[in-house]
Amino acid sequence: MVNIQKIKKYPDTILRAKCSPAEIVGDKIRSILSDMTFPMHAYNGIGLAAPQIGMDKQIVVIDIGEGPISLVNPEIVDKDGRSAIEEGCLSLPEVLVKVKRAGGIKVKALDETGREITIDAKGLLSTVIQHEVDHLNGILIIDYANFIKKEFLKRSLLKHRERRPM
Ligand SMILES: [Zn+2]
């Protein structure tokens, strides 16, 4: 039986944690990666970061429909161009925020075998990687909303939480 991890929701403080780098990529990290990949698919997400399952480690999984990608200790080393698309987040149900980001990025990380990989990402993949790396730094899409929208979102998110306590 696969254990479906509960997704941490705003305003859980773990979502604001600055994640520390994962040590050697071994069975423990691989088990965290599968604990993350399963709920990402189960909840129909295209990316998930470790704080969203309650762990302050620099671990991310992504699947934009081309198969899962594991990124351990990801570091964005180059950015170019611009993009601004409406993003959702499994930790902020029913919220969409248009986020201005780089259009393309180069990211370095370790994969699930501990090998160093470099990905040149554009389009949706680039956006998802930037979204997930934000999570590792405690940054959420709500932080990109303007003041008025932010206040509105905070209130509706807290109401949402009262309606469905966890
Ligand atoms: Zn998210």
Side-chain angles (χ1 to χ4, degrees), residues 47 52 88-92 131-132 135 140-141:
Q52 295 180 279
C89 180
L90 290 170
S91 295
L92 295 136
H131 177 119
E132 303 309 334
H135 272 300
L140 301 170
I141 52 173

Side-chain angles (χ1 to χ4, degrees), residues 105-164:
I105 57 156
K106 186 195 282 267
V107 63
K108 284 190 179 188
L110 302 176
D111 71 5
E112 68 281 358
T113 67
R115 203 173 41 134
E116 194 176 302
I117 53 168
T118 303
I119 299 173
D120 283 300
K122 285 188 170 50
L124 183 59
L125 182 60
S126 155
T127 299
V128 181
I129 292 172
Q130 291 176 76
H131 177 119
E132 303 309 334
V133 170
D134 269 358
H135 272 300
L136 304 181
N137 292 308
I139 299 167
L140 301 170
I141 52 173
I142 193 172
D143 303 332
Y144 292 92
N146 67 36
F147 179 77
I148 293 168
K149 183 161 188 192
K150 202 179 284 178
E151 290 308 303
F152 171 78
L153 289 175
K154 272 186 199 160
R155 252 169 251 154
S156 59
L157 277 163
L158 293 173
K159 232 187 271 167
H160 185 82
R161 191 169 65 120
E162 283 158 22
R163 278 205 309 273
R164 297 155 77 178

